[in-house]
């Protein structure tokens, strides 16, 4: 469809159904817009990832990194990158929800 195209309504059109559905055009998203949309979605999902991490650690008290990651993947209903989960774990450690084990760096403890 071009900008110069003109659409008109046929007033004489009759059909046994009263409604006529006209599908609207959907603009294609550019790569920049798609990346921006994905970033916005990720920031909206940060709270869900944090809640999942805290809920898992609260129930298990101590957990190895790989088990925590796999538990989060099974609980979340949307796709998430492992790197994003690692970032959220580090932020939760900074906010003192978790702490690393003194001897094993890949073991986390829930801080009540």
């Amino acid at each position: 469809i071009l900008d110069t195209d003109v659409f008109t309504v046929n007033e004489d059109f009759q059909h046994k159904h009263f409604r006529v559905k006209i599908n609207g055009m959907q603009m294609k998203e550019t790569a920049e817009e798609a990346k921006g949309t994905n970033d916005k979605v990720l920031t909206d999902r940060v709270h869900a990832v944090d809640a999942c991490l805290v809920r898992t650690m609260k129930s298990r008290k101590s957990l190895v990194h790989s088990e925590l990651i796999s538990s989060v993947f099974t609980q979340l209903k949307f796709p998430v990158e492992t790197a994003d989960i690692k970032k959220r774990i580090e932020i939760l450690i900074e906010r003192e929800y978790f702490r690393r084990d003194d001897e094993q760096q890949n073991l986390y403890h829930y801080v009540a």
Side-chain angles (χ1 to χ4, degrees):
I1 299 177
L2 302 173
D3 290 338
T4 58
D5 292 341
V6 177
F7 296 94
T8 59
V9 176
N10 183 357
E11 300 287 340
D12 297 328
F13 180 78
Q14 292 183 353
H15 197 272
K16 62 182 177 180
H17 296 289
F18 291 109
R19 287 186 237 157
V20 176
K21 293 184 182 180
I22 300 173
N23 294 333
M25 288 183 11
Q26 184 175 4
M27 299 293 289
K28 294 196 177 191
E29 205 173 31
T30 64
E32 274 183 22
E33 290 172 337
K35 185 177 183 328
T37 303
N38 288 339
D39 290 343
K40 287 179 186 175
V41 168
L42 182 61
T43 57
D44 291 342
R45 292 178 173 175
V46 162
H47 299 295
V49 173
D50 287 354
C52 182
L53 286 164
V54 171
R55 190 172 47 244
T56 302
M57 287 301 294
K58 190 173 185 178
S59 67
R60 302 216 190 147
K61 303 297 181 202
S62 295
L63 206 57
V64 178
H65 178 79
S66 58
E67 291 177 9
L68 179 59
I69 297 288
S70 65
S71 175
V72 169
F73 277 130
T74 57
Q75 289 181 35
L76 292 177
K77 303 290 184 202
F78 52 86
V80 64
E81 298 290 325
T82 307
D84 296 330
I85 296 174
K86 287 180 184 179
K87 287 178 193 173
R88 298 312 307 167
I89 290 172
E90 290 302 322
I91 290 171
L92 290 170
I93 289 172
E94 289 173 10
R95 291 170 53 191
E96 297 181 357
Y97 280 88
F98 307 158
R99 68 173 175 82
R100 290 188 188 275
D101 190 72
D102 297 332
E103 294 160 9
Q104 284 184 294
Q105 287 296 309
N106 67 341
L107 180 65
Y108 303 112
H109 298 286
Y110 178 74
V111 178

